[in-house]
Amino acid sequence: MALVVQKYGGSSVADVEAMRRVAKRVVATREAGNTVVVVVSAMGDTTDDLLDMADALTDDAPAREMDILLSAGERISMALLAMAINELGVPARAYTGAQAGVLTDSKYGRASIVGVLPERVARAIQMGAVAIVAGFQGVNEVEDVTTLGRGGSDTTAVALAAALNADVCEIYTDVDGLFTADPRIVPTARRIESVSSEETLEMAANGAKILHLRAVEYARRFGVPIHVRSSFSDKTGTWIYDGRKEGAFVPPVVAAQLDDVVEADNDQEDEPVSATRPRLDGATGRVVAPAGTPAPDGGSVGRAHDRAISARAEARPHPSAKEDNVEAPVISGIAHDRSQDKITLVGVPDVPGAAARIFAIVAGTDANIDMIVQDVSAEGTGLTNISFTCPDGDSADARAALEAAKGELGYKSIHFNPDIGKLSLVGAGMRSHPGVSAKLFGALSEAGVNIHMISTSEIRISVVVDDAVLDEAVRAVHTAFGLDAQDTEAVVYGGTGR
């Protein structure tokens, strides 16, 4: 029926019982007639435990050896899950990132995928086995193990789905999909049934933890349908669709079939496969329809994938022409981020080229800059202030480089603030509706929250505030835009959201 790539996060495979639960779901998906490839993260807090052990030994671990160490967690998961699936009578083969053909550059710790050649994975599923792939890792041109950065298993899953021409990439986590805010902070957050890839990119880039930013970018580039759902429940989750497509979005046919699989997983785990349901031919790896079933249009997985892409998940109903304010902004959700620091250069000479020199120095440290604000030059002084934010892992090197270049840059002082948080309001039609900004700033004002910096895009408004009031700010804005659910919809089954 379909080629399905499923990714399970650390909380979904946290212990032996969790492994058994995931194995049953994988087997149920396969017995429904689907070809299945699984990508797994490390069990629970394994990666953090490995980092703690490395920190206990050295303050300056070689990046190459750290990648070898951290890739071990996913290897443990893939082997144990393969054993659990084999125990249920279904053949399963485990593969490291290198064995699965995930090729990367040589940026240890945050490598980028440069290509995927999943020959061994393809052979395994053609022989009727479930392929289990270690997420988060690959191999570079000199055959060293590399890792993709935290959350990189999402990217592994989407990259494999694209390379295998899969019908859908299911991201299983410990919450029931994407929500209008982090349910750990806003208990009244609502589940989003479907959302565009552009809005998802903004939410992921600005702190939403459910999906890895690079995974969303990869999926959008290669047209991979993503379905985010919980491995702990049978709820339908959230579909992420290509926002460039027009028209109402209907989930691919495979979606309803996979919902049935989840129900079977929960209610009829031991029921044998019905003779009236499609099955997988172990010799050919092809889906075989039951006798008397009309052949599907097209017949190949590739054509099925094309049909799935052409019928995306329903974003939101198109309003009737009779409705008023049909171009009103639609707020998808609120993201927040505590992982950034703010650096301010005070008394910078307000002359052409000053900002260029500052950010050339920052770029030399490989720091990723997010928001930038330059004040108006103080009258009669010829001096200005320039502030920017960057990830906390990059700020130390950026700050040191700027301090070393103080004589060249000519600024008076440098201020460093690690106690900031970023709140981002994401939705369509934001820039053309000034009322959105007024409502956002009004809600923050009423909550007594002061704003340090502001940044906007076509579908996002971000503000930097004090970290101590970030949670309160998120709740206030969530309520102000009418995003609160009447009943509690968000349940966090695990602990991390990944």
Side-chain angles (χ1 to χ4, degrees):
M1 292 200 300
L3 173 56
V4 180
V5 175
Q6 297 181 334
K7 178 262 178 178
Y8 292 92
S11 57
S12 298
V13 292
D15 52 36
V16 171
E17 286 307 311
M19 286 282 184
R20 290 194 178 109
R21 182 176 60 248
V22 167
K24 290 177 181 178
R25 181 163 296 204
V26 172
V27 170
T29 305
R30 180 186 181 275
E31 289 184 342
N34 301 295
T35 302
V36 186
V37 175
V38 179
V39 174
V40 288
S41 297
M43 298 172 66
D45 296 325
T46 300
T47 300
D48 289 330
D49 293 341
L50 293 172
L51 284 168
D52 289 344
M53 285 188 278
D55 289 342
L57 291 172
T58 176
D59 293 329
D60 187 23
R64 177 182 177 276
E65 277 60 42
M66 280 298 296
D67 273 10
I68 295 173
L69 173 68
L70 296 182
S71 66
E74 282 71 19
R75 296 181 183 217
I76 294 170
S77 294
M78 72 176 193
L80 290 174
L81 183 57
M83 294 175 191
I85 293 173
N86 274 296
E87 189 66 17
L88 295 176
V90 172
R93 299 293 301 274
Y95 298 96
T96 65
Q99 291 170 333
V102 180
L103 311 178
T104 76
D105 59 23
S106 293
K107 293 181 180 178
Y108 298 107
R110 52 180 179 178
S112 295
I113 295 175
V114 298
V116 182
L117 300 174
E119 295 177 3
R120 297 185 68 178
V121 172
R123 285 200 300 270
I125 59 178
Q126 286 170 1
M127 295 174 63
V130 173
I132 315 294
V133 179
F136 173 67
Q137 61 187 253
V139 62
N140 64 17
E141 67 275 11
V142 294
E143 299 186 2
D144 279 345
V145 172
T146 56
T147 63
L148 307 180
R150 295 303 291 265
S153 293
D154 291 350
T155 308
T156 302
V158 173
L160 278 170
L164 294 167
N165 205 27
D167 292 84
V168 64
C169 180
E170 293 196 308
I171 305 293
Y172 283 94
T173 179
D174 61 5
V175 291
D176 295 318
L178 296 178
F179 284 79
T180 50
D182 187 337
R184 298 165 182 80
I185 292 177
V186 185
T188 55
R190 288 190 288 107
R191 182 178 62 83
I192 305 171
E193 292 187 3
S194 53
V195 62
S196 73
S197 55
E198 289 91 342
E199 291 166 294
T200 309
L201 278 170
E202 289 283 13
M203 293 176 73
N206 289 282
K209 298 294 192 293
I210 297 301
L211 271 178
H212 198 235
L213 173 62
R214 285 155 60 190
V216 183
E217 293 173 335
Y218 210 111
R220 186 173 185 272
R221 178 177 299 175
F222 293 98
V224 177
I226 295 182
H227 194 185
V228 181
R229 61 196 314 181
S230 172
S231 62
F232 298 84
S233 78
D234 60 355
K235 296 182 180 179
T236 55
T238 302
W239 279 93
I240 297 170
Y241 67 95
D242 188 340
R244 295 170 295 182
K245 300 290 183 183
E246 295 181 356
F249 177 81
V250 178
V253 175
V254 68
Q257 297 164 348
L258 292 176
D259 286 342
D260 292 341
V261 165
V262 173
E263 291 179 7
D265 174 28
N266 290 334
D267 302 329
Q268 302 175 11
E269 294 171 347
D270 298 325
E271 181 180 337
V273 179
S274 169
T276 63
R277 298 169 71 183
R279 63 182 177 82
L280 190 70
D281 187 321
T284 65
R286 295 181 178 276
V287 173
V288 179
T293 302
D297 180 25
S300 72
V301 170
R303 283 190 288 275
H305 178 54
D306 291 338
R307 292 197 303 275
I309 291 176
S310 66
R312 289 294 180 199
E314 182 177 2
R316 53 181 67 92
H318 285 276
S320 165
K322 296 182 180 180
E323 293 185 69
D324 294 329
N325 201 21
V326 294
E327 292 188 28
V330 181
I331 305 303
S332 295
I334 299 168
H336 72 280
D337 186 6
R338 283 191 164 89
S339 66
Q340 296 197 4
D341 298 332
K342 183 175 78 166
I343 297 175
T344 301
L345 297 183
V346 179
V348 177
D350 192 7
V351 296
R357 290 195 296 274
I358 289 170
F359 292 109
I361 290 171
V362 175
T365 68
D366 285 335
N368 291 312
I369 295 174
D370 183 16
M371 300 170 66
I372 302 173
V373 171
Q374 179 172 340
D375 296 342
V376 175
S377 178
E379 186 175 354
T381 66
L383 301 176
T384 186
N385 301 333
I386 296 179
S387 299
F388 65 91
T389 62
C390 63
D392 49 20
D394 296 343
S395 60
D397 289 344
R399 181 184 177 188
L402 290 171
E403 288 176 340
K406 182 178 181 180
E408 172 193 347
L409 299 174
Y411 64 84
K412 289 187 175 180
S413 61
I414 185 169
H415 294 174
F416 176 68
N417 185 1
D419 300 319
I420 63 167
K422 183 173 67 172
L423 179 154
S424 298
L425 186 69
V426 178
M430 305 262 278
R431 178 170 289 183
S432 58
H433 290 80
V436 174
S437 299
K439 183 179 289 188
L440 169 63
F441 300 142
L444 293 173
S445 175
E446 290 179 8
V449 176
N450 188 44
I451 299 172
H452 295 269
M453 303 173 74
I454 302 169
S455 174
T456 65
S457 75
E458 290 288 349
I459 59 173
R460 172 190 52 80
I461 303 175
S462 294
V463 296
V464 170
V465 301
D466 290 332
D467 178 63
V469 298
L470 181 59
D471 290 0
E472 182 181 353
V474 170
R475 287 190 286 267
V477 174
H478 195 270
T479 299
F481 281 90
L483 298 176
D484 292 341
Q486 295 297 319
D487 301 313
T488 301
E489 297 183 10
V491 177
V492 181
Y493 302 93
T496 65
R498 298 208 66 79

